[in-house]
Amino acid sequence: MTLVLTASTLESLASMTETITAVERGFGDIARGTALQPGPLSLHLPSSEARYLLMAGMAESQGLAAVKLLSDIPANHHEGLPTQRSSILLADRRTGETLALLDGRVPTRIRTAAASAVASRFLARPDSSTLGLVGAGALAIAHVEALMAVLPIRKVVMWSRSASTLAAFKARTAHHQIEFVRASSVQHVVEEADVLCTLTPSEEPLVRGEWFRPGLHVNAVGARPRPTHREIDSEGMRRSRVFVDSMPTAIEKSGDLMMAVAEGVITIDDVEGELGGVIAGDVMGRQSEDDITLFNSVGIGMLDLAIGRLLYDAAVLHGLGTSIDMSR
């Protein structure tokens, strides 16, 4: 039987703390060779800006193979439709049975924030207390919860172009007992932050490396999965010790990285390594208090697998979702 899990069901099942643990294990499994993370496949035709990305992963410990189809369609914005949609398929690694089909919106949001939390746990200064957010949408709300789980965050400084988005952000985060400050500019956010998260679908850089101060950690996770879209300028990449979620994926999909390379400011060899290598102890993370570290993530299939395992198990435990016999 295949369990179909909708967005509303998944929202009720998602646990940030459990996802952080599962994502950390997933990154480490890749580095240890007990999980497989292939590069992504990006499908597009000259007649459209739309891209369809296949993001896969397989892991021994979770007993799964997984694949997500991510549809990235900028033109949907003009139709009042989501510009990104996705579905995740989970298969039993031993038998090949299709266990579940999940709407991808909630898992993608939660595991993306969890990945930033894991990166911050290993790369940020342990005493980091001010979180800076460029962007204030649903992903920013998830990042507040995630970063508070791993660091002593006492203040959040946020910026958004949209007053309504900021109002919704404040309403959804008001229960956190910390200080929230609305920044006057992106520069204000960067200069205040100990940990900076860039969470916008920007095509051109919003964040300039000249604003970075010693000791900063950056999670650059918002730009669309395209090698020509970026949030961080080349100077920001040059000044940082850069870590990625997956090198093949970053080369294929990260504009933050590949545009800096194209401009001749850095080379691929300047990337310190993958986050999983830091977790496994094979790659040196932060070396000093003054290091500027940057985690550049465009998303990998292993993270969908990691949260998919959690959500599927929780749905089975609570008797949620719709079971369908796909073989009939």
Side-chain angles (χ1 to χ4, degrees):
M1 300 293 284
T2 300
L3 192 62
V4 178
L5 297 170
T6 63
S8 58
T9 298
L10 294 170
E11 195 78 67
S12 69
L13 294 172
S15 164
M16 182 61 77
T17 55
E18 290 180 2
T19 303
I20 291 170
T21 299
V23 163
E24 181 177 328
R25 182 175 65 175
F27 277 126
D29 285 345
I30 295 169
R32 288 184 286 266
T34 58
L36 179 64
Q37 179 54 67
L41 177 63
S42 180
L43 308 175
H44 64 281
L45 295 171
S47 58
S48 170
E49 283 191 297
R51 288 180 180 252
Y52 298 84
L53 291 96
L54 295 172
M55 303 166 62
M58 184 167 65
E60 287 183 3
S61 60
Q62 288 93 343
L64 292 177
V67 62
K68 178 166 76 176
L69 175 62
L70 170 63
S71 305
D72 182 58
I73 308 175
N76 273 1
H77 176 73
H78 304 296
E79 305 294 331
L81 299 172
T83 59
Q84 290 192 340
R85 288 169 160 154
S86 61
S87 299
I88 301 168
L89 184 146
L90 305 178
D92 187 292
R93 191 179 70 85
R94 184 177 61 85
T95 68
E97 178 188 3
T98 300
L99 297 178
L101 179 64
L102 291 68
D103 181 82
R105 178 164 52 97
V106 173
T108 300
R109 184 182 77 235
I110 301 299
R111 61 82 157 156
T112 300
S116 293
V118 173
S120 299
R121 173 184 280 163
F122 282 89
L123 298 175
R125 290 182 291 107
D127 62 348
S128 297
S129 61
T130 299
L131 173 62
L133 302 174
V134 179
L139 190 55
I141 294 166
H143 270 73
V144 172
E145 180 182 0
L147 271 294
M148 287 184 66
V150 298
L151 290 171
I153 300 298
R154 293 191 294 272
K155 180 167 75 171
V156 176
V157 182
M158 66 282 190
W159 174 90
S160 173
R161 290 190 179 97
S162 168
S164 60
T165 299
L166 280 168
F169 173 89
K170 289 181 179 180
R172 295 274 304 276
T173 57
H175 61 286
H176 294 300
Q177 300 301 307
I178 54 177
E179 179 185 1
F180 289 91
V181 177
R182 179 177 180 178
S184 58
S185 65
V186 174
Q187 182 176 353
H188 178 190
V189 175
V190 176
E191 292 177 344
E192 286 280 324
D194 297 319
V195 174
L196 172 70
C197 300
T198 62
L199 309 168
T200 71
S202 181
E203 296 184 29
E204 300 295 333
L206 290 172
V207 173
R208 300 190 178 280
E210 66 189 67
W211 302 333
F212 289 1
R213 58 187 177 86
L216 175 68
H217 172 67
V218 182
N219 296 305
V221 301
R224 292 183 183 280
R226 296 165 184 252
T228 56
H229 291 199
R230 59 177 172 171
E231 297 177 290
I232 312 294
D233 71 356
S234 293
E235 177 65 6
M237 301 300 285
R238 185 194 68 78
R239 292 192 62 200
S240 303
R241 299 184 62 237
V242 176
F243 302 82
V244 298
D245 48 10
S246 162
M247 187 61 74
T249 301
I251 291 172
E252 175 69 26
K253 293 167 42 178
S254 172
D256 291 293
L257 174 62
M258 296 312 296
M259 292 189 75
V261 171
E263 291 174 2
V265 176
I266 62 171
T267 70
I268 293 297
D269 291 338
D270 290 323
V271 176
E272 301 289 337
E274 296 181 351
L275 179 59
V278 179
I279 293 168
D282 300 326
V283 176
M284 179 67 71
R286 174 171 290 274
Q287 295 177 326
S288 75
E289 289 288 304
D290 288 340
D291 271 354
I292 298 171
T293 54
L294 187 149
F295 174 56
N296 182 209
S297 173
V298 284
I300 55 176
M302 261 303 298
L303 303 192
D304 299 311
L305 184 153
I307 190 171
R309 176 86 262 178
L310 292 176
L311 294 169
Y312 172 74
D313 289 346
V316 171
L317 177 65
H318 294 288
L320 300 176
T322 303
S323 293
I324 299 175
D325 186 348
M326 300 287 284
S327 65
R328 296 183 62 182

